[in-house]
């Protein structure tokens, strides 16, 4: 398994500029770790949630709260757009209830999605490629400025430029 590190171009620039230790860069590249999104490893949600419950109980010096079947089901069917951070927040908030048993009705799961800018996330690949090409043309190939125009990060922009085979 190989994880694509979108920060590699920036790290290579740092190595070239001698602001990042070259040997550390190559040591870091020896290990490839794939971390799938939470929605793809539904079987891991309950043990992770229980870990966060134990962590909260230890922090407060109280007995650990338990999840009932309805809570486990609610956790497993939620798509987790915020991934592990969202799960942690939901569990930590739920752990503050007075009862020892956490039910689905007390889980603070948001069913609305966060507001997003009119960004590339909502576009189809052909439109996205054209928007990137236009932004690069407007900024004379400056990735940082083009990324700002599109409301995305520079590393995302670098990845998209390579992905679509665009020239800067």
């Amino acid at each position: 398994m190989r994880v694509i590190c979108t920060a590699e171009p920036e790290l290579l620039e740092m190595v070239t500029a001698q602001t990042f230790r070259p040997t550390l860069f190559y040591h870091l590249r020896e290990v490839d770790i794939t971390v799938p999104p939470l929605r793809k490893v539904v079987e891991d949600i309950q043990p992770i949630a229980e870990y966060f419950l134990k962590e909260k109980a230890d922090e407060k010096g109280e007995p650990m709260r338990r999840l009932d079947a309805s809570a486990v089901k609610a956790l497993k069917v939620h798509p987790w757009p915020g991934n592990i951070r969202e799960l942690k927040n939901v569990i930590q908030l739920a752990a503050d209830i007075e009862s020892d048993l956490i039910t689905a009705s007390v889980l603070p799961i948001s069913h609305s999605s966060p507001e997003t800018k009119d960004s590339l996330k909502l576009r189809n690949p052909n439109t996205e490629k054209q928007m990137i090409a236009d932004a690069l043309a407007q900024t004379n190939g400056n990735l940082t400025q083009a990324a700002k125009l599109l409301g995305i990060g520079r590393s995302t922009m670098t990845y998209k430029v390579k992905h679509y085979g665009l020239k800067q």
Side-chain angles (χ1 to χ4, degrees):
M1 290 187 245
R2 174 103 172 107
V3 173
I4 298 172
C5 178
T6 57
E8 283 182 11
E10 287 84 5
L11 288 176
L12 286 173
E13 288 173 17
M14 291 172 71
V15 169
T16 305
Q18 297 180 341
T19 59
F20 191 89
R21 199 174 101 209
T23 55
L24 178 59
F25 173 71
Y26 293 107
H27 284 293
L28 292 173
R29 291 208 54 206
E30 287 178 6
V31 179
D32 291 335
I33 300 171
T34 301
V35 180
L38 211 47
R39 68 183 168 277
K40 295 205 178 188
V41 286
V42 175
E43 66 278 1
D44 292 343
I45 291 174
Q46 184 176 359
I48 294 169
E50 289 171 350
Y51 170 82
F52 290 138
L53 283 171
K54 180 168 179 4
E55 187 178 63
K56 184 74 169 185
D58 291 346
E59 177 184 305
K60 292 171 67 176
E62 297 178 352
M64 186 177 116
R65 310 281 192 259
R66 292 178 297 117
L67 298 167
D68 79 347
S70 69
V72 171
K73 183 178 179 182
L75 293 173
K76 287 183 176 184
V77 298
H78 186 66
W80 300 109
N83 217 0
I84 196 81
R85 287 186 184 106
E86 181 184 6
L87 175 62
K88 183 176 184 178
N89 289 337
V90 164
I91 294 301
Q92 287 183 335
L93 289 169
D96 287 333
I97 66 165
E98 295 298 319
S99 173
D100 289 339
L101 191 62
I102 297 171
T103 62
S105 62
V106 298
L107 286 173
I109 295 176
S110 173
H111 296 288
S112 63
S113 58
E115 287 186 31
T116 58
K117 291 188 206 175
D118 186 20
S119 70
L120 297 177
K121 292 181 192 174
L122 305 175
R123 309 255 178 216
N124 69 47
N126 294 328
T127 306
E128 183 176 88
K129 181 178 179 180
Q130 187 58 51
M131 286 180 70
I132 292 169
D134 292 345
L136 286 170
Q138 286 178 12
T139 60
N140 296 320
N142 185 310
L143 287 175
T144 303
Q145 290 177 354
K148 283 181 184 175
L149 276 177
L150 296 171
I152 60 175
R154 187 182 189 291
S155 59
T156 301
M157 184 66 163
T158 302
Y159 170 78
K160 298 274 186 189
V161 166
K162 287 181 182 175
H163 176 75
Y164 291 120
L166 298 170
K167 296 192 181 192
Q168 300 174 30

